[in-house]
Amino acid sequence: MTLLTDLQPAALRRAFSRFPSGVAALCAVIDGKPQGLVASSFTVGVSMDPPLVMFAVQNTSRTWPVLRGAARIGVSVLGSDHEGVCKQIASNTGDRFAGLGLHTDISGSLFLDRAALWLECSVDKEIPAGDHAVVLLRVHGHASHEDAHEPLVFHGSAFRHLGVPAFA
């Protein structure tokens, strides 16, 4: 085996795409308008005490500076039928929330219908990390919907769906 030393962004993106991940929409209602972004870098179980999750966001994001000021952020781990929803929210044009099934709570957290998991979070800490920031979110509440909605998976630069479990 020979390790490649090409660390250019395109080569790294191809290499990193070999690691499957879930996709999360992080959304809130701010000044009466829905705001949100999607992250395939979302990770659960960072800490159980206190309950923390995390994601990475590009320093060039125009949405994160608006969203970070929300008292609470709704995290929706996208379901297997959310591929179009993911692309819509990630778009830089148009009404990114038009026609979507949304739920909000009194805190301003915004959640998507048919998500595999909902988490109500607040920003705990933001850590500079090269061309991104790593954001730790404190979990204040959750709803898993049991097995009603399988998660959307991002792997090989494409959306995938879970198959039959290897072991029951």
Side-chain angles (χ1 to χ4, degrees), residues 24-38 55 63-76 89 95-97 102-112 119-123 137:
L26 294 91
C27 304
V29 176
I30 300 173
D31 295 330
K33 293 177 57 177
Q35 299 287 339
L37 56 82
V38 293
F55 75 103
T63 304
W64 179 240
V66 175
L67 194 57
R68 80 160 51 100
R72 297 284 169 94
I73 297 171
V75 177
S76 299
I89 293 173
D95 181 349
R96 299 181 304 150
F97 293 89
L102 303 170
H103 297 279
T104 189
D105 65 13
I106 196 159
S107 72
S109 297
L110 186 62
F111 300 99
L112 295 164
L119 299 169
E120 183 181 61
C121 300
S122 62
V123 176
L137 300 172

